[in-house]
Amino acid sequence: MAHRGAGLCRGFSRYIKESKLAACSVKKWPIILRRTMASASSPICTTYIPEFDGTSGIKSYQDLHDLSLRDPDLFWGRLARSRVKWMTDFDQVQKCDMEKGDFKWFLGGKLNVTESCIDRHVESTPNKVALIWEKDEPGTEEHVTYKELYHKMNQIANMLKDHGVKRGDPVAIYMPVSPLLVASMLACARIGAVHSVVFAGFSAESLAARINDAGAETVITSDFAVRGGKLVELKNTVDAALEKCPGVKRVFMATRTNKEVSMGEKDFLLKEEMAQYPEMCIPEKMDSEDTLFMLYTSGSTGKPKGLVHTQAGYIVYTTVTHQMVFNYQPEDIFACVADIGWITGHSYGVYGPLSNGATSVLFESTPTYPDPGRYWEMVERLKVNILYLAPTALRLLLKSGDSFVTKYDRSSLKTLGCVGEPLNREAFEWYHDIVGEKRCDVVDTWWQTETGGILISPRPSAPGAEIRPGMPMRPFFGVDPVLLNEKGEELTDENVSGALCLRKPWPGIARTIHGSHERFLDVYFKMFPGVYFTGDGAHRHEGGHYQITGRMDDVINVSGHRLGTAEIEDAIDEHPSVAESAVVGFPHEIKGEGVYAYVTLKDDATQTAADIIPELRNLIKTQIASYAVPDIILIAPGLPKTRSGKIMRRILRKIAASQHDDLGDISTLAEPGVVQVIVDHHNEIS
Ligand code: PRX
């Protein structure tokens, strides 16, 4: 294991002292989008919120925002009762303690989130399309109505119960984006089981680690995934993972292709098995604070952590934010193209849209298959009104020119969302001017796996409120961001940068890390007592608008996917010839950040760099996932270290970014000469 210092502190001082993103954080972007017309139905807000009509003192958006901070019980209590279906009303809106990292919302309430997501729509609009499965081949989409989804969910729920899955049991799901994936998640929720969806791009090792950490006895998977015309083996990967998961008792496999895969004693064909069960299943009566799901994400140290989200707070928060941030209206076609294996897919591909009775598009393909016009051809064919994607896709697509966009009719579009990483100015302008023909709201939404839903976004806001490029701008209702300096002091002015923290709890906040509440407290609540620390830095512009300046810890954001540098180092260090490694991020034109690995070999290693680099790439692919494979691996004679043996990542980051003239004082290093050797090598290979 490489020697590591205290991740956050190191990251923090890097951010403050080196002003990592200062260049972009202090720029004053011109206002380029101005809404002048307030809709007749939205007296206080670009999104109409009828719950507060006639409430004394609420005349403007600002009044309502103030109320949400001043009286969260009134604000969230009213929305929770009107937007979500309850079996038993709650008797206390919240009981939260930021110091102790203890959050409880809607206490005493009983519900089953599937009643909000499915049953109530089956009663009112059974034949409305719930899901459009936009399959890999353009033009082969399938529609699933609310009633059909209800039946699928119930059959899987009954099947799971009959196979011994009980309330509270974890179920691992490793599937491609598909209606059966959604039905499987909902089926777990129906019977009170806890789903743990693992992104279907993860390796067998990663999958095994997540299955074991969750303690899952049940796995739901598919034979293959199909993406960009290529098959991805899922069942074989599950089989490999299960060699390390003795606790798994049963595997249900959906069939995406006609290809044969090996089936063992524990394996069942999902479609055939579920078909034997009734299409009705009584929903389990869950407590507001029972666990709904867990989802793993990377942190700066250690193994990925399983963030736990609970029933009521999560469904209230995703329902409300989905409607208000995107200004979702009942007939809109909503397309979140993120994979359901990530939190974006959970909250805005599944739970938020279904709870609002939306038609949600499930995107199985890639942005460039069969060509870079895929999204826009889909928008025309499906008449998509709201699109939600990642900036990395925009950066990739804009390189192919405008004609791939303009040849398709995009007149259905009204809101263009993005998430996962900063939306740089060029990508914003292309999205706004070319894709949206200068008439759509572009909503750059900031949030995290931990937050459950969107916390900072330009919408909702007052009618006519501006949207500025390069920043998510405005805290959502009830969200109270604070910026802190290194000493934990609050920076109250405008035009300041600091650690982005949240002072007030919101219903969607994760409740713990599965199996380690201590770790939950350490990561998010100890650094700055009394607030939730996001791990991100932010700049507050004039008007109180927030711009995210990047991670302050050792997390790299590759194409909107979070990766811990420690995870990658651990994988590299498993190679028998490797002595030590240090992984850093570097600016990457398309991916936002790329992965750069510096590796030293043991004295007795006999292999050459040319032999070892492909082995290391393969190792990371099998230990973690393809997207974690470094863009650059540099085999170095040594790493720059302080005399006490701490690796100077600051220097390695500068070299990776080709900022060789700005390495700072290296005279205090144990072996200063190693830096020049690394710089020369970097120049050769990059
Ligand atoms: O660094 C921030 C970045 O993504 C991190 C959260 O990653 P994850 O938990 O995987 O969730 C991604 C999707 C919700 C954040 O800590 N991030 C997310 N949205 C933005 C962003 N950075 C800048 N601008 C955003 N809009």
Side-chain angles (χ1 to χ4, degrees):
M1 215 0 235
H3 183 89
R4 306 181 68 82
L8 286 176
C9 295
R10 183 175 65 226
F12 192 91
S13 39
R14 164 164 62 95
Y15 168 72
I16 296 293
K17 292 191 190 124
E18 298 171 34
S19 187
K20 184 181 166 204
L21 289 145
C24 76
S25 66
V26 294
K27 231 176 235 167
K28 287 185 186 159
W29 304 116
I31 299 165
I32 67 157
L33 195 149
R34 204 178 266 285
R35 283 173 72 99
T36 47
M37 291 280 293
S39 130
S41 63
S42 25
I44 54 171
C45 189
T46 46
T47 300
Y48 177 49
I49 304 169
E51 284 88 346
F52 296 93
D53 278 358
T55 305
S56 118
I58 306 297
K59 293 202 168 48
S60 67
Y61 165 79
Q62 199 52 50
D63 292 339
L64 189 54
H65 202 272
D66 292 347
L67 172 88
S68 72
L69 293 176
R70 193 177 63 243
D71 193 349
D73 287 11
L74 171 66
F75 183 82
W76 288 112
R78 211 176 268 186
L79 286 171
R81 287 195 175 94
S82 69
R83 307 246 172 163
V84 159
K85 193 164 172 7
W86 296 89
M87 292 172 167
T88 307
D89 191 14
F90 50 91
D91 37 50
Q92 187 178 352
V93 174
Q94 55 149 339
K95 191 163 169 256
C96 298
D97 186 336
M98 275 285 190
E99 298 275 343
K100 295 193 182 133
D102 186 13
F103 306 103
K104 294 194 174 59
W105 283 84
F106 312 115
L107 290 86
K110 305 281 176 206
L111 76 169
N112 188 294
V113 300
T114 64
E115 288 201 312
S116 288
C117 292
I118 307 291
D119 299 48
R120 59 175 168 172
H121 312 306
V122 173
E123 277 163 32
S124 57
T125 50
N127 297 320
K128 178 165 180 182
V129 174
L131 304 173
I132 302 177
W133 185 21
E134 171 69 2
K135 291 163 75 176
D136 196 44
E137 283 307 320
T140 61
E141 72 272 12
E142 291 179 19
H143 293 71
V144 181
T145 65
Y146 271 95
K147 194 168 175 190
E148 288 163 345
L149 186 54
Y150 175 78
H151 290 156
K152 282 184 206 293
M153 164 186 78
N154 285 335
Q155 285 185 314
I156 300 176
N158 286 321
M159 176 195 84
L160 290 174
K161 267 210 281 200
D162 193 44
H163 279 268
V165 179
K166 296 182 299 301
R167 182 184 170 122
D169 285 352
V171 174
I173 304 182
Y174 184 70
M175 289 176 97
V177 169
S178 57
L180 277 178
L181 164 56
V182 176
S184 299
M185 293 164 74
L186 294 170
C188 291
R190 191 76 169 176
I191 62 171
V194 174
H195 60 73
S196 168
V197 179
V198 180
F199 169 59
F202 276 118
S203 66
E205 282 285 334
S206 296
L207 174 62
R210 285 158 176 76
I211 290 173
N212 288 334
D213 185 78
E217 293 181 349
T218 308
V219 177
I220 310 180
T221 189
S222 177
D223 53 350
F224 291 91
V226 186
R227 286 196 84 221
K230 297 197 188 95
L231 293 184
V232 184
E233 290 184 345
L234 297 190
K235 175 62 165 55
N236 284 348
T237 308
V238 169
D239 288 348
L242 293 200
E243 285 174 19
K244 296 194 169 164
C245 304
V248 170
K249 295 192 175 145
R250 53 196 85 86
V251 177
F252 299 98
M253 185 192 80
T255 39
R256 176 64 182 85
T257 71
N258 297 322
K259 295 202 175 307
E260 294 255 314
V261 288
S262 71
M263 296 291 281
E265 280 172 11
K266 295 176 185 170
D267 299 339
F268 299 88
L269 288 171
L270 177 64
K271 266 201 175 149
E272 291 175 12
E273 194 65 15
M274 66 190 266
Q276 299 174 29
Y277 292 90
E279 293 177 338
M280 291 281 292
C281 174
I282 306 283
E284 193 74 16
K285 194 172 189 176
M286 305 302 289
D287 185 84
S288 288
E289 282 300 331
D290 282 335
T291 299
L292 175 61
F293 68 87
M294 57 180 119
L295 188 61
Y296 287 82
T297 191
S298 299
S300 45
T301 54
K303 294 279 173 217
K305 44 203 180 190
L307 271 315
V308 171
H309 284 281
T310 56
Q311 313 272 334
Y314 178 79
I315 199 67
V316 168
Y317 199 70
T318 51
T319 305
V320 168
T321 48
H322 169 258
Q323 197 268 311
M324 296 185 189
V325 168
F326 300 102
N327 192 16
Y328 167 76
Q329 298 301 320
E331 294 316 315
D332 287 343
I333 307 281
F334 182 86
C336 165
V337 293
D339 195 288
I340 292 171
W342 307 113
I343 191 71
T344 307
H346 277 53
S347 299
Y348 301 109
V350 180
Y351 285 106
L354 293 182
S355 181
N356 285 319
T359 297
S360 179
V361 175
L362 306 178
F363 186 71
E364 185 185 40
S365 194
T366 74
T368 51
Y369 184 76
D371 64 38
R374 177 58 186 266
Y375 282 161
W376 327 117
E377 184 273 328
M378 175 185 81
V379 165
E380 176 182 292
R381 179 165 35 83
L382 304 183
K383 303 206 169 16
V384 172
N385 304 106
I386 303 168
L387 184 66
Y388 195 32
L389 46 67
T392 189
L394 292 175
R395 287 195 295 268
L396 180 71
L397 297 178
L398 70 81
K399 285 189 162 312
S400 306
D402 299 351
S403 63
F404 279 108
V405 184
T406 51
K407 68 177 164 183
Y408 299 107
D409 176 10
R410 282 120 40 238
S411 57
S412 57
L413 289 172
K414 68 168 192 184
T415 304
L416 300 172
C418 74
V419 61
E421 16 151 14
L423 178 64
N424 54 305
R425 187 189 179 83
E426 190 190 9
F428 176 98
E429 287 180 350
W430 192 72
Y431 205 21
H432 177 261
D433 295 359
I434 307 300
V435 174
E437 299 169 311
K438 301 188 179 175
R439 58 177 176 75
C440 300
D441 277 351
V442 172
V443 290
D444 172 358
T445 64
W446 174 85
W447 57 295
Q448 310 177 297
T449 306
E450 293 86 342
T451 70
I454 295 163
L455 292 196
I456 308 184
S457 150
R459 297 280 186 257
S461 44
E466 75 210 28
I467 293 180
R468 294 181 178 191
M471 58 181 102
M473 297 184 78
R474 301 184 175 89
F476 189 72
F477 293 115
V479 174
D480 188 13
V482 282
L483 298 182
L484 301 181
N485 67 14
E486 207 165 12
K487 293 183 202 142
E489 294 157 350
E490 187 177 345
L491 304 164
T492 49
D493 295 342
E494 297 188 339
N495 291 314
V496 287
S497 295
L500 176 62
C501 300
L502 298 152
R503 184 162 28 208
K504 289 207 159 65
W506 62 99
I509 188 172
R511 303 304 195 250
T512 191
I513 292 173
H514 176 70
S516 180
H517 197 63
E518 253 335 282
R519 191 174 172 199
F520 183 65
L521 297 178
D522 283 349
V523 177
Y524 306 108
F525 300 98
K526 291 253 167 87
M527 176 95 169
F528 302 114
V531 295
Y532 164 85
F533 175 48
T534 65
D536 282 342
H539 185 86
R540 189 189 296 117
H541 289 258
E542 68 276 17
H545 298 146
Y546 289 88
Q547 176 179 11
I548 308 302
T549 48
R551 295 290 307 191
M552 296 171 69
D553 52 14
D554 287 320
V555 170
I556 316 181
N557 194 331
V558 179
S559 303
H561 299 325
R562 254 161 87 162
L563 277 168
T565 52
E567 269 173 86
I568 307 174
E569 288 164 8
D570 285 351
I572 294 174
D573 295 351
E574 293 218 350
H575 192 288
S577 298
V578 168
E580 199 171 32
S581 65
V583 169
V584 297
F586 70 101
H588 189 287
E589 215 188 337
I590 305 289
K591 301 197 232 175
E593 272 189 293
V595 180
Y596 201 125
Y598 297 88
V599 178
T600 63
L601 302 182
K602 288 180 183 157
D603 290 344
D604 58 358
T606 50
Q607 288 167 291
T608 64
D611 293 334
I612 217 163
I613 287 173
E615 288 181 13
L616 291 177
R617 288 185 191 283
N618 199 36
L619 191 59
I620 295 162
K621 200 168 155 187
T622 52
Q623 294 283 315
I624 310 175
S626 302
Y627 75 89
V629 173
D631 299 270
I632 300 176
I633 298 178
L634 187 151
I635 307 283
L639 298 176
K641 289 183 184 172
T642 59
R643 297 215 171 98
S644 62
K646 190 173 150 227
I647 297 173
M648 293 295 283
R649 280 158 209 277
R650 176 180 63 79
I651 293 174
L652 294 175
R653 270 188 212 104
K654 294 267 182 192
I655 296 173
S658 297
Q659 295 170 352
H660 306 151
D661 299 339
D662 187 21
L663 296 180
D665 182 11
I666 56 168
S667 61
T668 55
L669 296 179
E671 286 180 75
V674 87
V675 173
Q676 194 53 48
V677 181
I678 295 178
V679 168
D680 291 344
H681 200 139
H682 167 86
N683 289 336
E684 274 166 39
I685 62 175
S686 59

